Amino acid sequence: MTETETEREANTLRIGTRGSLLARTQTETIVERLRRHRPELKIHVEIIQTTGDLRQGVPFAQVGTKGMFVKEIETALLTRAIDVGVHSLKDMPGELPDGLELACVPEREDPRDALLSRDGAKLTDLPPGAVVGTSSIRRQAQLRHFRPDLRVVELRGNLDTRLAKLDAGQYDAIVLAVAGLNRLGLAARISEYINTEVCLPAVGQGALALETRTGDAATLAWLAQLHDDDTERIIAAERGFQARLHGGCTVPVGALATLSDNRQTITLRGIIAAPDGSALLRDEMSGPVQMGAAIGVDVAERLLARGGAAFLEAKGHSL
């Protein structure tokens, strides 16, 4: 479908999302909230397969594309096949395509990572040589740095598949995002909420991103009621960090911003790791909340200058 805005049926909103259970659950939450605020809206959900979905058996590092979980949804936006794309914000590259904007960021879920083990063991209790599965290069590097005696290996597939592999004994433990487990009602499976000093989250982890075409006034007005200002400020700092590194989900970097002083001060912590976990650089900076994006850039610059550039270049990443 390639209709113009003037041809679009009044009070109709077409939402695009991935087809995984988590993506559909997240999108249904958005749909329910929109209907509470705007019961007259006719909402249609379109399931869109992305590169990341089609290549689930391939390690992230080999897929070799930023935006592997968002590109096809963005194409559908640009061709006017949909009006809103619902993403996990951590999947989004630091820069958006021309003609699209991040219209709404709802309140963020818990951004931490979680350890799920077959016997309930925590990370420090796992025996040497225990096999820990995760899809994330960021998690792999930080876990190897903290516990170099573990076997940290690739784990792909949707959440149900990953849990089934753990339960079948293919892994002693796996690492997943707390937010996804909470949204699917699976928090009881968590053995440990991993301290962010051990494993700093991905940029935007736990947050959703609602992407639209630039200047789509009707859609922007409908989505505004779901927007959370504090989450937007936090995400601005983390995405400033990400944008300077030209990062996606295939590089070993992490960042987490927090607010303090009655939400007037923002603090950003960032890391760049060697892919094998042999070294890990940390930095943090605080400042006025309105300077969040600039603070993110500054933290990235400081880490690059301290040797982080060499870590990213080892992954073939261009700065």
Side-chain angles (χ1 to χ4, degrees):
M1 184 182 299
T2 56
E3 63 185 13
T4 65
E5 289 296 331
T6 56
E7 291 170 334
R8 180 169 146 195
E9 185 181 352
N11 291 329
T12 296
L13 191 66
R14 299 159 303 176
I15 298 178
T17 183
R18 296 169 57 203
S20 71
L21 176 61
L22 178 57
R24 288 185 282 110
T25 300
Q26 291 173 165
T27 300
E28 189 55 39
T29 299
I30 296 300
V31 170
E32 289 174 0
R33 291 186 62 190
L34 281 169
R35 284 177 172 150
R36 283 202 301 270
H37 289 291
R38 301 297 296 263
E40 76 278 13
L41 271 180
K42 303 170 188 174
I43 301 175
H44 305 284
V45 176
E46 303 287 343
I47 302 300
I48 298 172
Q49 284 193 313
T50 67
T51 299
D53 298 314
L54 293 170
R55 305 189 67 186
Q56 286 197 21
V58 181
F60 276 157
Q62 293 178 24
V63 176
T65 177
K66 288 192 292 185
M68 69 178 77
F69 291 114
V70 304
K71 185 177 179 181
E72 287 79 4
I73 295 174
E74 291 180 331
T75 298
L77 281 168
L78 290 168
T79 59
R80 301 182 184 278
I82 60 172
D83 308 303
V84 181
V86 179
H87 311 286
S88 292
L89 202 147
K90 68 182 179 62
D91 293 333
M92 299 189 73
E95 299 156 354
L96 302 184
D98 291 340
L100 299 181
E101 64 177 284
L102 193 53
C104 171
V105 181
E107 185 176 1
R108 189 181 201 173
E109 247 282 9
D110 191 325
R112 291 175 294 176
D113 289 313
L115 183 81
L116 287 70
S117 60
R118 284 189 293 123
D119 58 2
K122 293 180 170 51
L123 188 57
T124 54
D125 299 328
L126 292 172
V131 179
V132 180
T134 174
S135 62
S136 162
I137 292 170
R138 167 191 60 82
R139 291 174 184 145
Q140 290 173 15
Q142 292 184 89
L143 291 172
R144 286 168 179 152
H145 185 74
F146 181 69
R147 286 285 309 270
D149 58 320
L150 297 176
R151 269 191 67 208
V152 182
V153 298
E154 181 81 15
L155 171 66
R156 291 293 311 275
N158 60 36
L159 193 141
D160 286 347
T161 300
R162 297 182 196 190
L163 289 173
K165 290 178 178 179
L166 172 67
D167 294 338
Q170 296 181 39
Y171 301 86
D172 297 300
I174 61 175
V175 181
L176 301 170
V178 171
L181 293 164
N182 284 347
R183 288 174 178 140
L184 291 176
L186 295 171
R189 294 294 306 261
I190 296 173
S191 303
E192 180 182 11
Y193 293 84
I194 301 177
N195 192 304
T196 57
E197 294 297 325
V198 173
C199 198
L200 205 61
V203 166
Q205 185 162 304
L208 299 181
L210 277 58
E211 190 177 21
T212 63
R213 288 182 293 279
T214 303
D216 183 351
T219 300
L220 290 168
W222 290 331
L223 298 181
Q225 297 163 90
L226 308 186
H227 189 68
D228 183 74
D229 289 336
D230 285 348
T231 300
E232 179 186 32
R233 296 177 183 116
I234 286 168
I235 293 307
E238 295 179 14
R239 284 177 65 78
F241 176 85
Q242 180 187 39
R244 174 60 191 90
L245 300 177
H246 307 294
C249 53
T250 61
V251 292
V253 304
L256 182 65
T258 54
L259 299 177
S260 59
D261 300 329
N262 198 28
R263 301 173 179 169
Q264 297 306 301
T265 298
I266 192 162
T267 299
L268 180 81
R269 289 185 287 148
I271 65 104
I272 301 178
D276 63 1
S278 58
L280 189 148
L281 302 174
R282 304 178 189 271
D283 208 334
E284 74 174 70
M285 184 183 296
S286 299
V289 69
Q290 61 270 24
M291 296 296 293
I295 289 170
V297 172
D298 286 348
V299 171
E301 292 279 11
R302 287 171 19 170
L303 287 171
L304 289 171
R306 288 171 49 201
F311 295 163
L312 298 185
E313 287 163 2
K315 291 289 299 176
H317 187 65
S318 174
L319 297 170

